[in-house]
């Protein structure tokens, strides 16, 4: 059982670091991607606020916050995947959305089962 907690904590860190890296450090790439997909600036900003907020929630010790954060990111990643399919990007560009969605579903499932 302890292994599950260690893996769960590692996945939480991976989610937090990756979202921070993409939405803060490499924000210029996000701007270009949203322009390429012809999505409005307000949507980009709203998605960024939600993702960063959900990533902070995932780091919490509160089960409810982890459920909200991981569920929220999973929903946003499914929307990102849908957008990648709609725009017909390469499979390589879809991989980060898919992997982050799967990790968040795993976090949600583990946290839910521990309640």
């Amino acid at each position: 059982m302890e292994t599950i907690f260690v893996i769960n904590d590692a996945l939480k860190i991976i989610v937090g670091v990756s979202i921070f890296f993409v939405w803060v450090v490499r924000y210029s790439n996000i701007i270009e991607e949203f322009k390429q997909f012809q999505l409005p600036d307000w949507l980009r900003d709203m998605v960024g606020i939600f993702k960063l907020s959900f990533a902070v929630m995932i780091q919490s010790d509160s089960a409810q916050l982890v459920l909200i954060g991981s569920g929220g990111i999973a929903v946003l990643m499914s929307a990102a995947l849908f957008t990648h399919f709609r725009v017909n990007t390469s499979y390589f560009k879809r991989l980060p959305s898919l992997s982050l969605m799967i990790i968040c579903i795993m976090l949600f499932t583990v946290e839910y089962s521990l309640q």
Side-chain angles (χ1 to χ4, degrees), residues 30-41:
I30 294 295
I31 293 172
E32 290 176 28
E33 191 172 86
F34 271 71
K35 283 182 184 176
Q36 175 190 359
F37 294 167
Q38 297 178 348
L39 298 170
D41 292 347

Side-chain angles (χ1 to χ4, degrees), residues 16-81:
V17 168
S18 64
I19 288 179
F20 178 81
F21 184 76
V22 169
W23 283 90
V24 175
V25 176
R26 302 205 46 182
Y27 186 66
S28 59
N29 288 3
I30 294 295
I31 293 172
E32 290 176 28
E33 191 172 86
F34 271 71
K35 283 182 184 176
Q36 175 190 359
F37 294 167
Q38 297 178 348
L39 298 170
D41 292 347
W42 65 265
L43 181 62
R44 178 196 66 222
D45 295 340
M46 188 175 73
V47 167
I49 290 167
F50 277 128
K51 279 190 181 177
L52 289 167
S53 299
F54 289 147
V56 169
M57 288 180 193
I58 286 176
Q59 307 308 315
S60 173
D61 289 333
S62 166
Q64 288 84 8
L65 287 178
V66 175
L67 288 171
I68 293 168
S70 58
I73 292 175
V75 168
L76 290 173
M77 290 298 95
S78 64
L81 273 174

Side-chain angles (χ1 to χ4, degrees), residues 80-93:
L81 273 174
F82 175 77
T83 303
H84 280 287
F85 280 111
R86 184 179 58 87
V87 177
N88 201 22
T89 60
S90 68
Y91 290 110
F92 182 74
K93 289 202 176 232

